[in-house]
């Protein structure tokens, strides 16, 4: 089943079963040797997500279903420079961007921001998983568009990563690979830049749609290809099987990364799902696998069931326990949107795990809308956990409920028959009891605009130190926007900033504005 269609929630149970998530982190200094960073280039600030080097955070907003040069669903990415310094529209029609717009490319389906060349100006990785390469429909590729004092795409030439003749992603380009479906990027604890690219449609031998990912690290952008049938300093958890979709979701911290396999069959439970966790330590050039996660393990809550879609979504933040003098651990949130709670079908749930520096894990939280003192209540078809994002606003301090926050997308939430699947967002602490400082908001209750059917709020989430981005790409066109909420938002609290087509230099129109944000 195709994973390209933005969710129509009654079909999500099967879709989540087929989609996979990949979490990615780069290798540590033990694997890479000395850090490959350099001095900040003149005109670059070193500020997170600052593409033009002026010291102010910028925002990338994708509309992967937008028409470009008359080609429907070709996709565009809007860059809004901070400080009121204008906007840039980026597509395959933009001078210097390789390729050309084609129907269905969905340029911008996935985004990641990091400093790929360590010059102090942020760079943008753009996934186009439905790009056709020669006769290989939906093979996919990834662009790295470099920042500079002249702005994004104002300096170095765009770097392409694809499969096939150039083999920058390893292997052959094949129809339906979906390279670039999921991206995660950053810097390791040794300041080494990394980008992880999910290829959930990759066939391993004759095993179709088993999936995989590539780990691109260092300023030289060295590539390692990983799937469930390779040894990378140890066995990668799981076995490559049809429809695993290994690599459809990715999350990372400077010390660990996780890769979801939501199509994983556990025994007779098809599409139960699983995840693999890695460290950034390299062995023979590949990241080291640490352990696998699945609901068949006694130490993990719940049980494996058909269609659970465990690890359809992932989020990860650095974690420092009380008394520690460095931050070498991580907190990993795993979405299980197809989880049935007793007779409540597809209500959804989220697990939170603590990942230690030694490569062990413990479950620290089970979260659903029936958890003690949390807002709302579980209902059939909520798909709680379909999307996740998280932040640690103080990674060099002891982690607490105040500085580690998790946003959970609940796109199937409905308040009435009139507003079916309007969706919503639940924000909870990642440390301590989730109901102590949680908050809920949805269209008409915090999210600006009138509530309407099929808005699917919670399908587009992104974390930044300064706030939570909530994209609203679906429902009535008047409501299409991206809203920035404070992490300490109250129930029904208002955003602090809103980006909309026709405002702040963003062209009017669009189709799915805000489907991805960074």
């Amino acid at each position: 089943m195709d994973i390209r269609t933005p969710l129509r929630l009654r079909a999500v149970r099967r879709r989540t079963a087929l989609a996979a998530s990949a979490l990615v982190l780069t290798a540590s200094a033990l694997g890479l040797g000395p850090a490959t960073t350099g001095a900040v280039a003149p005109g670059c600030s070193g500020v997170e997500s600052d593409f033009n080097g002026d010291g102010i955070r910028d925002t990338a907003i994708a509309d992967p279903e937008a028409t470009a040069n008359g080609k429907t669903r070709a996709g565009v990415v809007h860059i809004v420079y901070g400080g009121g310094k204008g906007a840039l529209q980026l597509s395959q029609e933009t001078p210097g961007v390789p390729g050309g717009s084609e129907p269905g490319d969905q340029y911008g389906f996935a985004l990641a921001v990091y400093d790929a060349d360590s010059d102090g100006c942020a760079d943008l990785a753009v996934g186009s998983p439905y790009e056709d390469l020669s006769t290989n429909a939906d093979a996919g590729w990834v662009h790295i568009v470099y920042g500079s004092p002249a702005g994004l795409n104002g300096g170095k030439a765009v770097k392409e990563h694809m499969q096939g003749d150039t083999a920058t992603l390893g292997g052959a380009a094949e129809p339906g690979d979906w390279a670039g479906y999921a991206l995660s990027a950053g810097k390791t604890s040794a300041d080494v830049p990394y980008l992880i690219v999910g290829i959930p449609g990759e066939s391993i031998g004759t095993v179709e749609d088993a999936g995989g990912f590539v780990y691109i690290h260092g300023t030289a952008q060295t590539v390692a290809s990983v799937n469930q049938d390779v040894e990378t300093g140890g066995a990668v958890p799981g076995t490559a099987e049809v429809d695993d979709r290994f690599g459809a979701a990715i999350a990372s911290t400077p010390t660990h990364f996780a890769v979801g396999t939501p199509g994983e069959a556990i025994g007779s439970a098809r599409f139960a799902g699983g995840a693999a966790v890695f460290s950034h330590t390299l062995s023979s050039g590949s990241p080291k696998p640490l352990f696998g996660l699945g609901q068949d393990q006694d130490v993990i809550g719940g049980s494996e069931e058909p269609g659970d879609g465990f690890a359809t979504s992932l989020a990860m933040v650095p974690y420092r326990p009380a008394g520690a003098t460095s931050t070498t651990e991580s907190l990993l949130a795993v979405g299980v949107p197809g989880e049935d709670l007793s007779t409540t079908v597809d209500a959804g749930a989220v697990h939170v795990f603590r990942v230690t520096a030694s490569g062990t894990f413990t479950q620290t939280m089970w979260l659903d809308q029936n958890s003690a003192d949390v807002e709302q209540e579980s209902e059939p078809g909520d798909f709680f956990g379909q999307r996740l994002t998280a932040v640690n606003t103080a990674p060099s301090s002891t982690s607490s409920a105040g500085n580690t926050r998790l946003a959970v997308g609940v796109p199937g939430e409905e308040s009435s028959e009139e507003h079916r699947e309007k969706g919503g967002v639940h924000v909870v602490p990642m440390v301590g009891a989730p109901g102590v400082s949680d908050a809920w908001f949805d269209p008409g209750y915090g999210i600006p605009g009138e509530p309407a059917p099929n808005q699917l709020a919670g399908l587009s989430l992104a974390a930044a130190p300064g706030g939570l981005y909530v994209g609203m790409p679906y429902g009535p066109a008047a409501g299409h926007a991206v809203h920035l909420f404070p992490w300490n938002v109250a129930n029904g609290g208002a955003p602090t900033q809103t980006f909309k087509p026709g405002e702040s230099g963003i062209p009017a129109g669009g189709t799915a504005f805000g489907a991805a944000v960074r």
Side-chain angles (χ1 to χ4, degrees), residues 374-401:
V374 303
E375 297 294 326
Q376 305 299 302
E377 61 182 29
S378 296
E379 299 166 318
D382 277 350
F383 298 101
F384 181 88
Q386 181 71 36
R387 293 287 186 271
L388 299 173
T389 195
V391 73
N392 184 337
T393 59
S396 297
S397 302
T398 299
S399 298
S400 67

Side-chain angles (χ1 to χ4, degrees), residues 339 341 347-350 366-372 374-378 384 426 434:
E339 182 77 25
L341 301 178
V350 174
W366 165 284
L367 175 66
D368 61 50
Q369 288 184 302
N370 292 335
S371 297
V374 303
E375 297 294 326
Q376 305 299 302
E377 61 182 29
S378 296
F384 181 88
H426 204 150

Side-chain angles (χ1 to χ4, degrees), residues 94-500:
T94 302
V97 175
S101 296
E102 299 168 319
D105 280 350
Q106 295 205 49
Y107 191 77
F109 184 91
L111 303 173
V113 175
Y114 73 127
D115 189 358
D117 54 2
S118 296
D119 68 349
C121 279
D123 308 310
L124 179 67
V126 181
S128 182
Y130 305 112
E131 179 76 28
D132 298 344
L133 299 180
S134 185
T135 59
N136 298 299
D138 300 342
W141 68 4
V142 175
H143 286 166
I144 298 176
V145 186
Y146 291 96
S148 74
L152 198 68
N153 197 36
K156 295 180 182 178
V158 173
K159 173 71 174 179
E160 298 177 89
H161 284 291
M162 70 185 80
Q163 295 178 302
D165 292 339
T166 58
T168 56
L169 294 184
E174 300 166 317
D177 277 349
W178 298 319
Y181 183 87
L183 302 172
S184 187
K187 285 193 176 182
T188 68
S189 55
D191 266 350
V192 179
Y194 67 87
L195 170 68
I196 299 151
V197 178
I199 313 177
E202 180 80 16
S203 295
I204 308 301
T206 59
V207 182
E208 294 186 359
D209 298 332
F213 69 88
V214 294
Y215 182 82
I216 303 171
H217 57 89
T219 55
Q221 299 188 27
T222 304
V223 174
S225 298
V226 179
N227 62 63
Q228 289 180 299
D229 280 357
V230 302
E231 291 279 333
T232 63
V236 175
T239 301
E241 298 168 314
V242 173
D243 285 336
D244 276 352
R245 307 298 170 122
F246 185 59
I250 307 173
S252 60
T253 71
T255 50
H256 303 96
F257 69 92
V259 179
T261 316
E264 184 80 33
I266 299 178
S268 61
R270 299 184 65 212
F271 310 129
V277 176
F278 297 77
S279 82
H280 287 302
T281 301
L282 295 183
S283 177
S284 300
S286 294
K288 180 181 178 180
L290 298 177
F291 53 82
L293 297 170
Q295 288 183 303
D296 59 328
Q297 295 167 263
D298 292 340
V299 294
I300 295 178
S303 59
E304 71 279 14
E305 298 168 318
D308 275 350
F310 181 93
T312 292
S313 58
L314 299 166
M316 193 176 243
V317 298
Y319 175 68
R320 179 180 290 197
T325 57
S326 60
T327 307
T328 58
E329 301 188 16
S330 301
L331 291 176
L332 168 65
V334 177
V336 195
E339 182 77 25
D340 298 343
L341 301 178
S342 185
T343 60
T344 308
V345 176
D346 294 338
V350 174
H351 297 270
V352 177
F353 300 96
R354 174 182 173 182
V355 183
T356 67
S358 61
T360 61
F361 76 92
T362 54
Q363 180 176 310
T364 61
M365 184 187 299
W366 165 284
L367 175 66
D368 61 50
Q369 288 184 302
N370 292 335
S371 297
D373 300 321
V374 303
E375 297 294 326
Q376 305 299 302
E377 61 182 29
S378 296
E379 299 166 318
D382 277 350
F383 298 101
F384 181 88
Q386 181 71 36
R387 293 287 186 271
L388 299 173
T389 195
V391 73
N392 184 337
T393 59
S396 297
S397 302
T398 299
S399 298
S400 67
N403 58 33
T404 55
R405 307 290 287 178
L406 171 69
V408 182
V410 195
E413 183 77 25
E414 54 192 49
S415 58
S416 66
E417 287 294 320
E418 183 184 0
H419 301 143
R420 296 177 64 86
E421 297 164 4
K422 73 172 182 177
V425 179
H426 204 150
V427 179
V428 300
M430 295 186 79
V431 175
V436 171
S437 60
D438 68 321
W440 169 266
F441 50 95
D442 59 28
Y445 182 66
I447 296 178
E450 295 295 323
N454 300 317
Q455 288 175 294
L456 306 179
L459 273 187
S460 175
L461 302 173
L468 165 65
Y469 289 101
V470 177
M472 292 293 295
Y474 306 118
H480 291 189
V482 171
H483 307 287
L484 180 64
F485 290 85
W487 281 106
N488 62 349
V489 62
N491 284 325
T496 58
Q497 188 174 8
T498 291
F499 305 86
K500 294 191 69 172

